[in-house]
Amino acid sequence: MTPIRWHLAFGRSMRQFLRSTLGFSVLATLLLAMLAAGEPLVHGYWNLGYKVVQRSAPSDVVLVTVDNGRDWPTARQAELLERLRRQMPRRVLFDAAIPVGESAEGDAALTQAVRSFGNDISFIGRSDKVDELGTDSISVPPRQITGNAPILLSAWRSNFVLYATSSPYTIALGGKSYLTVASQLAGVSSGIESQFYPDFSVDPSSIPQVSGAQLLQQDFPASHLTGRTVIVTGLTRTPPILYFGHGFAPAVALDIAGAEGLRAPFSISFGPHIGSLPILLLVTLLVAAGSRAAGRRKGLWYAIAVLGALVLPMILRCQGMVFAPDAAMIFLAIYGGLRSWQKRARRIQLTSASGLPNLMALANNPLPVGSDMVVAVVARYEEMLATLPRDLHGECARQIARRLSAGAGAETIFHGDGGHFAWCEEARPLEVQLNHLQGLHALFAVPMTIGVHTFDTNIHFGLDRNEGLDAATRFNSALASANEALANGRVIELFEANRLAEAPWELSLHARIEEGLHNGDIWLAFQSQWDLQDNRMCGAEALIRWNHPTRGPIAPDAFILQAERAGRIDALTYWVVELAITAALALNARGPRFQISVNLSAQMVDKPDLVQNLAAIVRRRGIDPTLLTIEITETSSVRNRPAACQNLTRLRDMGFRLSIDDFGTGEASLAYLADLPSDELKIDRRFVSRITTSSRDRAIVANTIALAHALGQSVVAEGIETEETLAMLRDMGCDYAQGYHLGRPKAFTLLEADYDASLEGRADPGERAKSV
């Protein structure tokens, strides 16, 4: 292989490795290790580990404890050394404070006692704080006492929470190099590194101790300290040091642990970063081997890796090799977390509670070329499941899926919660595909039996044929169409491509409504209403309009429906009421009584705060509520009809006039007259516009007018577009009229001009309508 090809192959292999879970985990671990993110893990590991791994201190080192201060003047210290010399110890390390200068005789006696030991006595100088190895921090015993006796120093480096970690073999002080106490105890003056590491498994509380006062007693056993290393120490001479596994411990205990660390076969560390790489490499190799294993062996390899990361660093530390476990532990946490997340995601995506692949699995897989996406929705599916025992829920979904699979010829049916089923089919001509789905619908004419329960199954289909889009988009499109088919009672609904283009507009419509209200694109138009008996303008209906700067005029039904769905219709309605009141106050100040009508959404009729809010507006604006008419329609969508009737009754009691809009269509029929308190009926334009050509429609309108008058209500006919229609309605006894023949919806300033003209009698309604 040429060098170029080798480099290309290596580059591809590295990219594949880094994209894998293993490679990502290694890379993330190295980045965190560089940022020293593993220091708390290292600290916790050693602190916990040495709580478990403990051993007794060596018996060849004995502490003779003295109290610092007046109880141990130099004379008494001299007496103590004399008693020690008689015990014939191997060597003595003097670690107590020497109160030189208090007694000349005592100082001389102590000096003589020190000289009597010859080369078998050393003195210890200590640093007051960890990480302080300079001249200012280390106190050295006075030379007039120590003479030519060796001086040993004790100073320790620490981690980020001030636990002792290591010490140098020698310390330079005043231009001279001194051995550290641990080096002297172990008889090791240098190593591979410039520092060594204590063996924290040594239990500080197990170090043999003898009280200095006890040693001075006559009955102290002879030869008890013979051949042993004796450290004369004032345990309170320096502050205690933090010691892994034990918390605070005397500084001398750390010296003994350091000596034990030097006696190990090795004394080596590669630092906090490099020292963590060997364990990381080993654990990575174990995990890599496990990733290639099958079945339960994967978990076994991972368990071995975890065990190695937890146990191996402590085993090596006991041999004197310090390898930090933090990188391996971080790697295992990242890799294990990713693998658990991947397994959970795979488990969630591949199967639903029914054992069928779920909709997420469909959305995350590419669709076959030349295929249609079909989503089926089962009506009242949740009620079916509520009827069935829980253990039959899966069987319900499987039975539906079997029928769909048999009828559609699809190998895989995807199932989601809420009675949604989806699959892909070969794209056929639209008419053929629609006929096919009609036939599939017929398969569910036969009731479905699940356990002892029998269900009629009503199924609806959504079809998406927009090939080229991703699976998730096509599934959502088909699902939206299926839900629309269910809502409209149709078997099939096709998701057309142009709906995708309109979707962003519709989904953001409520935000655009706010913008339109703010900048004036949304405005209020008024369409005049005429009193047919007095032949004058007596009122107007407030109608919301939207002239979008780029899309032009937008039909009210389009954005009002979206506002209702978005829950923004309340604000829009109260905005209309405010402007309608402004118009009513202005016009009623200019002439005879003038009525303004406002449409009320069915979504608001049953709301508890409706009456309170309208009452507050009327009170604040200071208007007589009788000047406002509230038009109600389509109450079939009202969820709480009793609450709606109660609200309307309260509004009517306050003085508002109530009008039944679009009477004769939908539910706006005789049921309204029985259920709703009202003062007025508005006859729908589809009847009014045909009274001149249809005897049936003429009879309906005439009888409706008679019925309303019999009930004490007035009648408004809307949709009047000809003079002939207007004359016929006047003959029928209709009270009020509204339509393009009388006046188109227009801005309030134009309505004012028309109103002034009507008061002066300068033009008839038809002429003014034509001039607009």
Side-chain angles (χ1 to χ4, degrees):
M1 181 180 293
T2 64
I4 294 178
R5 290 184 177 179
W6 185 88
H7 283 297
L8 291 174
F10 178 76
R12 285 194 297 269
S13 299
M14 284 302 299
R15 284 194 297 271
Q16 291 175 356
F17 173 73
L18 293 176
R19 289 189 186 121
S20 67
T21 304
L22 186 67
F24 177 82
S25 301
V26 171
L27 182 61
T29 299
L30 293 176
L31 290 174
L32 290 172
M34 291 175 61
L35 297 173
E39 285 191 17
L41 285 176
V42 174
H43 171 79
Y45 177 85
W46 294 127
N47 204 34
L48 180 62
Y50 282 119
K51 288 181 183 294
V52 178
V53 179
Q54 294 188 22
R55 65 184 179 91
S56 298
S59 59
D60 62 335
V61 178
V62 180
L63 303 182
V64 174
T65 60
V66 298
D67 294 330
N68 296 326
R70 296 179 180 178
D71 292 336
W72 287 93
T74 50
R76 197 174 185 196
Q77 289 181 356
E79 182 183 358
L80 178 65
L81 286 180
E82 181 61 27
R83 289 293 183 94
L84 274 176
R85 189 176 61 79
R86 296 174 189 173
Q87 289 281 329
M88 301 180 65
R90 179 170 175 267
R91 58 185 169 182
V92 173
L93 276 66
F94 199 88
D95 189 26
I98 301 174
V100 66
E102 293 182 357
S103 168
E105 294 180 357
D107 294 349
L110 181 58
T111 301
Q112 183 61 36
V114 169
R115 290 175 180 172
S116 69
F117 276 88
N119 295 324
D120 295 334
I121 190 169
S122 302
F123 287 82
I124 298 176
R126 290 196 176 276
S127 174
D128 295 332
K129 300 178 182 179
V130 292
D131 298 316
E132 296 288 343
L133 277 67
T135 304
D136 296 337
S137 63
I138 298 178
S139 54
V140 180
R143 273 296 180 184
Q144 62 264 41
I145 300 295
T146 63
N148 295 323
I151 302 294
L152 307 175
L153 301 182
S154 178
W156 294 91
R157 297 188 176 95
S158 68
N159 66 3
F160 70 105
V161 286
L162 302 182
Y163 271 70
T165 55
S166 63
S167 175
Y169 289 90
T170 61
I171 297 175
L173 194 65
K176 186 177 180 180
S177 181
Y178 294 88
L179 275 177
T180 53
V181 177
S183 299
Q184 176 70 11
L185 290 174
V188 179
S189 60
S190 64
I192 298 176
E193 295 184 83
S194 62
Q195 59 186 356
F196 60 88
Y197 307 89
D199 182 357
F200 291 104
S201 64
V202 175
D203 184 0
S205 63
S206 68
I207 300 174
Q209 292 187 23
V210 174
S211 167
Q214 183 182 1
L215 179 61
L216 292 177
Q217 295 176 2
Q218 296 297 328
D219 59 349
F220 188 82
S223 304
H224 181 69
L225 303 178
T226 301
R228 304 167 82 178
T229 297
V230 175
I231 301 177
V232 179
T233 181
L235 296 181
T236 60
R237 176 188 175 190
T238 57
I241 294 179
L242 286 166
Y243 188 107
F244 281 114
H246 296 276
F248 287 103
V252 68
L254 203 58
D255 295 321
I256 295 173
E260 289 301 294
L262 286 170
R263 292 190 181 103
F266 307 93
S267 181
I268 185 172
S269 170
F270 296 100
H273 298 312
I274 299 177
S276 63
L277 294 183
I279 304 297
L280 172 62
L281 178 60
L282 175 63
V283 167
T284 302
L285 293 174
L286 290 172
V287 171
S291 65
R292 293 180 174 86
R296 295 183 179 179
R297 292 184 180 180
K298 287 181 180 288
L300 179 62
W301 278 102
Y302 189 78
I304 293 173
V306 173
L307 186 64
L310 295 178
V311 175
L312 188 59
M314 183 60 73
I315 294 175
L316 294 175
R317 181 71 181 260
C318 291
Q319 301 301 312
M321 293 180 285
V322 183
F323 292 106
D326 56 322
M329 296 169 70
I330 292 173
F331 166 77
L332 290 171
I334 294 174
Y335 181 82
L338 287 174
R339 292 294 296 169
S340 297
W341 177 81
Q342 289 170 347
K343 288 181 180 179
R344 182 177 180 275
R346 191 177 298 114
R347 191 163 53 247
I348 290 173
Q349 292 179 12
L350 290 182
T351 58
S352 64
S354 63
L356 298 168
N358 67 13
L359 299 178
M360 190 179 296
L362 171 63
N364 290 339
N365 289 314
L367 301 180
V369 177
S371 63
D372 288 346
M373 171 75 73
V374 185
V375 172
V377 177
V378 179
R380 305 179 67 181
Y381 185 76
E382 291 84 358
E383 294 182 43
M384 294 168 62
L385 296 185
T387 305
L388 292 170
R390 187 173 183 81
D391 57 348
L392 291 180
H393 289 187
E395 176 61 22
C396 178
R398 288 189 291 272
Q399 282 202 31
I400 295 172
R402 282 195 291 269
R403 291 197 189 188
L404 292 172
S405 179
E411 294 183 1
T412 305
I413 302 294
F414 298 86
H415 172 227
D417 297 333
H420 298 144
F421 297 83
W423 67 95
C424 293
E425 289 194 9
E426 178 186 356
R428 307 179 179 94
L430 179 58
E431 185 176 353
V432 176
Q433 189 71 288
L434 295 177
N435 289 335
H436 164 67
L437 293 177
Q438 288 284 358
L440 190 55
H441 178 265
L443 285 178
F444 287 86
V446 179
M448 186 169 61
T449 301
I450 303 170
V452 297
H453 301 271
T454 301
F455 299 104
D456 294 326
T457 308
N458 186 13
I459 195 163
H460 303 264
F461 302 101
L463 177 63
D464 178 273
R465 299 171 62 84
N466 299 302
E467 189 172 0
L469 300 176
D470 61 273
T473 299
R474 295 191 62 186
F475 162 71
N476 287 324
S477 301
L479 178 60
S481 297
N483 287 331
E484 188 173 342
L486 174 63
N488 296 331
R490 289 194 289 268
V491 174
I492 308 163
E493 194 70 52
L494 174 65
F495 194 92
E496 300 288 353
N498 60 352
R499 291 181 60 182
L500 287 175
E502 289 297 317
W505 165 264
E506 293 181 359
L507 294 175
S508 63
L509 194 58
H510 66 280
R512 299 176 190 272
I513 289 174
E514 291 288 344
E515 182 182 0
L517 290 172
H518 179 73
N519 60 27
D521 293 337
I522 296 178
W523 56 285
L524 200 61
F526 295 89
Q527 187 174 27
S528 61
Q529 296 177 343
W530 286 74
D531 186 326
L532 295 184
Q533 304 305 317
D534 295 342
N535 194 30
R536 71 175 183 88
M537 187 188 299
C538 63
E541 181 180 0
L543 300 169
I544 194 166
R545 292 293 183 263
W546 189 358
N547 292 332
H548 194 269
T550 59
R551 300 174 69 95
I554 300 175
D557 290 345
F559 67 86
I560 289 175
L561 178 61
Q562 291 296 326
E564 290 178 336
R565 290 175 178 174
R568 307 300 293 272
I569 194 63
D570 295 42
L572 205 56
T573 300
Y574 293 133
W575 175 81
V576 170
V577 170
E578 291 278 4
L579 294 185
I581 290 176
T582 300
L585 290 172
L587 293 175
N588 277 280
R590 304 168 77 98
R593 181 183 184 86
F594 195 94
Q595 198 77 21
I596 296 290
S597 299
V598 176
N599 289 283
L600 185 64
S601 168
Q603 285 200 356
M604 296 181 61
V605 175
D606 60 349
K607 289 194 173 182
D609 59 350
L610 172 67
V611 176
Q612 177 183 349
N613 291 339
L614 287 178
I617 294 174
V618 167
R619 190 164 49 249
R620 174 169 51 80
R621 298 299 302 275
I623 189 172
D624 182 0
T626 61
L627 297 176
L628 300 176
T629 299
I630 295 177
E631 298 188 5
I632 312 104
T633 187
E634 293 299 330
T635 58
S636 59
S637 59
V638 176
R639 297 180 180 178
N640 190 341
R641 289 182 72 94
C645 291
Q646 183 180 11
N647 280 347
L648 294 175
T649 300
R650 292 176 60 192
L651 290 175
R652 191 163 183 256
D653 291 342
M654 287 172 56
F656 289 96
R657 296 182 73 251
L658 300 185
S659 175
I660 298 176
D661 195 12
D662 296 335
F663 186 81
T665 63
E667 281 212 358
S669 60
L670 294 176
Y672 272 26
L673 297 178
D675 295 341
L676 300 180
S678 59
D679 303 283
E680 176 183 279
L681 297 184
K682 289 191 76 173
I683 305 177
D684 188 68
R685 68 182 65 246
R686 72 185 63 181
F687 299 108
V688 173
S689 63
R690 297 191 298 233
I691 61 173
T692 59
T693 58
S694 170
S695 58
R696 294 177 64 87
D697 287 334
R698 189 162 51 248
I700 291 172
V701 171
N703 283 282
T704 300
I705 294 172
L707 175 62
H709 289 167
L711 295 175
Q713 301 194 31
S714 57
V715 179
V716 179
E718 58 181 355
I720 299 172
E721 298 186 358
T722 66
E723 180 64 31
E724 185 182 1
T725 303
L726 182 64
M728 190 171 290
L729 286 169
R730 184 180 285 113
D731 293 340
M732 290 180 181
C734 183
D735 301 296
Y736 306 105
Q738 177 180 343
Y740 280 9
H741 177 67
L742 300 168
R744 293 175 179 270
K746 59 191 67 176
F748 178 67
T749 54
L750 297 178
L751 179 72
E752 280 185 307
D754 285 352
Y755 183 58
D756 291 340
S758 72
L759 291 177
E760 298 170 6
R762 286 188 278 116
D764 63 37
E767 291 178 353
R768 279 187 294 274
K770 294 173 186 177
S771 66
V772 175

